[in-house]
PDB file of all heavy atoms in Angstrom:
ATOM      1  N   LEU A  16       4.084   7.987  -8.167  1.00 94.00           N
ATOM      2  CA  LEU A  16       4.736   9.204  -8.555  1.00 94.00           C
ATOM      3  C   LEU A  16       5.174   9.178 -10.066  1.00 94.00           C
ATOM      4  O   LEU A  16       5.752   8.190 -10.464  1.00 94.00           O
ATOM      5  CB  LEU A  16       5.983   9.505  -7.681  1.00 94.00           C
ATOM      6  CG  LEU A  16       5.747   9.803  -6.198  1.00 94.00           C
ATOM      7  CD1 LEU A  16       7.069   9.815  -5.521  1.00 94.00           C
ATOM      8  CD2 LEU A  16       5.010  11.145  -6.084  1.00 94.00           C
ATOM      9  N   ALA A  17       4.859  10.291 -10.735  1.00 93.00           N
ATOM     10  CA  ALA A  17       5.249  10.332 -12.177  1.00 93.00           C
ATOM     11  C   ALA A  17       6.696  10.774 -12.269  1.00 93.00           C
ATOM     12  O   ALA A  17       7.217  11.450 -11.381  1.00 93.00           O
ATOM     13  CB  ALA A  17       4.324  11.318 -12.894  1.00 93.00           C
ATOM     14  N   VAL A  18       7.305  10.373 -13.367  1.00 91.00           N
ATOM     15  CA  VAL A  18       8.675  10.955 -13.651  1.00 91.00           C
ATOM     16  C   VAL A  18       8.450  12.301 -14.300  1.00 91.00           C
ATOM     17  O   VAL A  18       7.798  12.401 -15.339  1.00 91.00           O
ATOM     18  CB  VAL A  18       9.459  10.032 -14.551  1.00 91.00           C
ATOM     19  CG1 VAL A  18      10.812  10.635 -14.885  1.00 91.00           C
ATOM     20  CG2 VAL A  18       9.612   8.637 -13.966  1.00 91.00           C
ATOM     21  N   LEU A  19       8.937  13.341 -13.704  1.00 89.00           N
ATOM     22  CA  LEU A  19       8.680  14.717 -14.231  1.00 89.00           C
ATOM     23  C   LEU A  19       9.766  15.050 -15.236  1.00 89.00           C
ATOM     24  O   LEU A  19      10.921  14.581 -15.163  1.00 89.00           O
ATOM     25  CB  LEU A  19       8.732  15.705 -13.070  1.00 89.00           C
ATOM     26  CG  LEU A  19       7.678  15.475 -11.974  1.00 89.00           C
ATOM     27  CD1 LEU A  19       7.912  16.442 -10.820  1.00 89.00           C
ATOM     28  CD2 LEU A  19       6.272  15.592 -12.550  1.00 89.00           C
ATOM     29  N   PRO A  20       9.390  15.918 -16.210  1.00 85.00           N
ATOM     30  CA  PRO A  20      10.439  16.335 -17.164  1.00 85.00           C
ATOM     31  C   PRO A  20      11.617  17.060 -16.442  1.00 85.00           C
ATOM     32  O   PRO A  20      11.411  17.743 -15.489  1.00 85.00           O
ATOM     33  CB  PRO A  20       9.668  17.342 -18.112  1.00 85.00           C
ATOM     34  CG  PRO A  20       8.311  17.469 -17.539  1.00 85.00           C
ATOM     35  CD  PRO A  20       8.106  16.627 -16.371  1.00 85.00           C
ATOM     36  N   ALA A  21      12.805  16.860 -17.006  1.00 85.00           N
ATOM     37  CA  ALA A  21      13.988  17.474 -16.390  1.00 85.00           C
ATOM     38  C   ALA A  21      13.937  19.004 -16.632  1.00 85.00           C
ATOM     39  O   ALA A  21      13.301  19.459 -17.600  1.00 85.00           O
ATOM     40  CB  ALA A  21      15.205  16.910 -17.062  1.00 85.00           C
ATOM     41  N   ASP A  22      14.600  19.762 -15.755  1.00 86.00           N
ATOM     42  CA  ASP A  22      14.596  21.204 -15.996  1.00 86.00           C
ATOM     43  C   ASP A  22      15.393  21.514 -17.239  1.00 86.00           C
ATOM     44  O   ASP A  22      16.522  21.026 -17.459  1.00 86.00           O
ATOM     45  CB  ASP A  22      15.342  21.867 -14.801  1.00 86.00           C
ATOM     46  CG  ASP A  22      15.454  23.352 -15.015  1.00 86.00           C
ATOM     47  OD1 ASP A  22      14.499  24.103 -14.722  1.00 86.00           O
ATOM     48  OD2 ASP A  22      16.472  23.825 -15.549  1.00 86.00           O
ATOM     49  N   ALA A  23      14.728  22.306 -18.166  1.00 86.00           N
ATOM     50  CA  ALA A  23      15.309  22.460 -19.481  1.00 86.00           C
ATOM     51  C   ALA A  23      16.724  23.024 -19.490  1.00 86.00           C
ATOM     52  O   ALA A  23      17.622  22.509 -20.141  1.00 86.00           O
ATOM     53  CB  ALA A  23      14.374  23.437 -20.282  1.00 86.00           C
ATOM     54  N   VAL A  24      16.931  24.083 -18.697  1.00 91.00           N
ATOM     55  CA  VAL A  24      18.242  24.757 -18.728  1.00 91.00           C
ATOM     56  C   VAL A  24      19.370  23.826 -18.210  1.00 91.00           C
ATOM     57  O   VAL A  24      20.411  23.695 -18.763  1.00 91.00           O
ATOM     58  CB  VAL A  24      18.156  26.076 -17.895  1.00 91.00           C
ATOM     59  CG1 VAL A  24      19.530  26.609 -17.642  1.00 91.00           C
ATOM     60  CG2 VAL A  24      17.288  27.064 -18.612  1.00 91.00           C
ATOM     61  N   PHE A  25      19.073  23.207 -17.013  1.00 92.00           N
ATOM     62  CA  PHE A  25      20.114  22.350 -16.420  1.00 92.00           C
ATOM     63  C   PHE A  25      20.320  21.048 -17.231  1.00 92.00           C
ATOM     64  O   PHE A  25      21.408  20.502 -17.211  1.00 92.00           O
ATOM     65  CB  PHE A  25      19.774  22.072 -14.950  1.00 92.00           C
ATOM     66  CG  PHE A  25      20.199  23.219 -14.111  1.00 92.00           C
ATOM     67  CD1 PHE A  25      19.417  24.351 -13.937  1.00 92.00           C
ATOM     68  CD2 PHE A  25      21.471  23.251 -13.454  1.00 92.00           C
ATOM     69  CE1 PHE A  25      19.806  25.430 -13.169  1.00 92.00           C
ATOM     70  CE2 PHE A  25      21.878  24.309 -12.684  1.00 92.00           C
ATOM     71  CZ  PHE A  25      21.054  25.435 -12.563  1.00 92.00           C
ATOM     72  N   ASP A  26      19.279  20.632 -17.920  1.00 92.00           N
ATOM     73  CA  ASP A  26      19.420  19.419 -18.766  1.00 92.00           C
ATOM     74  C   ASP A  26      20.335  19.697 -19.938  1.00 92.00           C
ATOM     75  O   ASP A  26      21.167  18.881 -20.301  1.00 92.00           O
ATOM     76  CB  ASP A  26      18.018  19.014 -19.245  1.00 92.00           C
ATOM     77  CG  ASP A  26      17.971  17.538 -19.581  1.00 92.00           C
ATOM     78  OD1 ASP A  26      18.620  16.744 -18.845  1.00 92.00           O
ATOM     79  OD2 ASP A  26      17.261  17.164 -20.534  1.00 92.00           O
ATOM     80  N   VAL A  27      20.217  20.866 -20.520  1.00 94.00           N
ATOM     81  CA  VAL A  27      21.084  21.241 -21.621  1.00 94.00           C
ATOM     82  C   VAL A  27      22.536  21.223 -21.154  1.00 94.00           C
ATOM     83  O   VAL A  27      23.424  20.720 -21.799  1.00 94.00           O
ATOM     84  CB  VAL A  27      20.732  22.669 -22.154  1.00 94.00           C
ATOM     85  CG1 VAL A  27      21.838  23.223 -23.077  1.00 94.00           C
ATOM     86  CG2 VAL A  27      19.365  22.669 -22.879  1.00 94.00           C
ATOM     87  N   ARG A  28      22.718  21.733 -19.947  1.00 94.00           N
ATOM     88  CA  ARG A  28      24.092  21.775 -19.401  1.00 94.00           C
ATOM     89  C   ARG A  28      24.680  20.385 -19.236  1.00 94.00           C
ATOM     90  O   ARG A  28      25.843  20.145 -19.530  1.00 94.00           O
ATOM     91  CB  ARG A  28      24.050  22.515 -18.034  1.00 94.00           C
ATOM     92  CG  ARG A  28      25.332  22.850 -17.491  1.00 94.00           C
ATOM     93  CD  ARG A  28      25.187  24.059 -16.552  1.00 94.00           C
ATOM     94  NE  ARG A  28      26.462  24.313 -15.862  1.00 94.00           N
ATOM     95  CZ  ARG A  28      26.686  24.136 -14.622  1.00 94.00           C
ATOM     96  NH1 ARG A  28      25.739  23.613 -13.865  1.00 94.00           N
ATOM     97  NH2 ARG A  28      27.812  24.382 -14.055  1.00 94.00           N
ATOM     98  N   LEU A  29      23.806  19.453 -18.692  1.00 95.00           N
ATOM     99  CA  LEU A  29      24.312  18.080 -18.560  1.00 95.00           C
ATOM    100  C   LEU A  29      24.695  17.451 -19.878  1.00 95.00           C
ATOM    101  O   LEU A  29      25.730  16.775 -19.981  1.00 95.00           O
ATOM    102  CB  LEU A  29      23.168  17.189 -17.922  1.00 95.00           C
ATOM    103  CG  LEU A  29      22.974  17.325 -16.401  1.00 95.00           C
ATOM    104  CD1 LEU A  29      21.871  16.404 -15.972  1.00 95.00           C
ATOM    105  CD2 LEU A  29      24.331  16.951 -15.741  1.00 95.00           C
ATOM    106  N   ARG A  30      23.834  17.668 -20.904  1.00 96.00           N
ATOM    107  CA  ARG A  30      24.122  17.081 -22.207  1.00 96.00           C
ATOM    108  C   ARG A  30      25.431  17.694 -22.766  1.00 96.00           C
ATOM    109  O   ARG A  30      26.265  16.993 -23.333  1.00 96.00           O
ATOM    110  CB  ARG A  30      22.970  17.327 -23.142  1.00 96.00           C
ATOM    111  CG  ARG A  30      21.676  16.581 -22.844  1.00 96.00           C
ATOM    112  CD  ARG A  30      20.820  16.353 -24.045  1.00 96.00           C
ATOM    113  NE  ARG A  30      20.421  17.595 -24.706  1.00 96.00           N
ATOM    114  CZ  ARG A  30      19.448  18.436 -24.342  1.00 96.00           C
ATOM    115  NH1 ARG A  30      18.678  18.099 -23.278  1.00 96.00           N
ATOM    116  NH2 ARG A  30      19.177  19.532 -24.971  1.00 96.00           N
TER     117      ARG A  30
END
Side-chain angles (χ1 to χ4, degrees):
L16 292 172
V18 178
L19 300 174
D22 177 85
V24 168
F25 279 83
D26 205 36
V27 167
R28 191 156 174 249
L29 279 182
R30 292 202 303 277

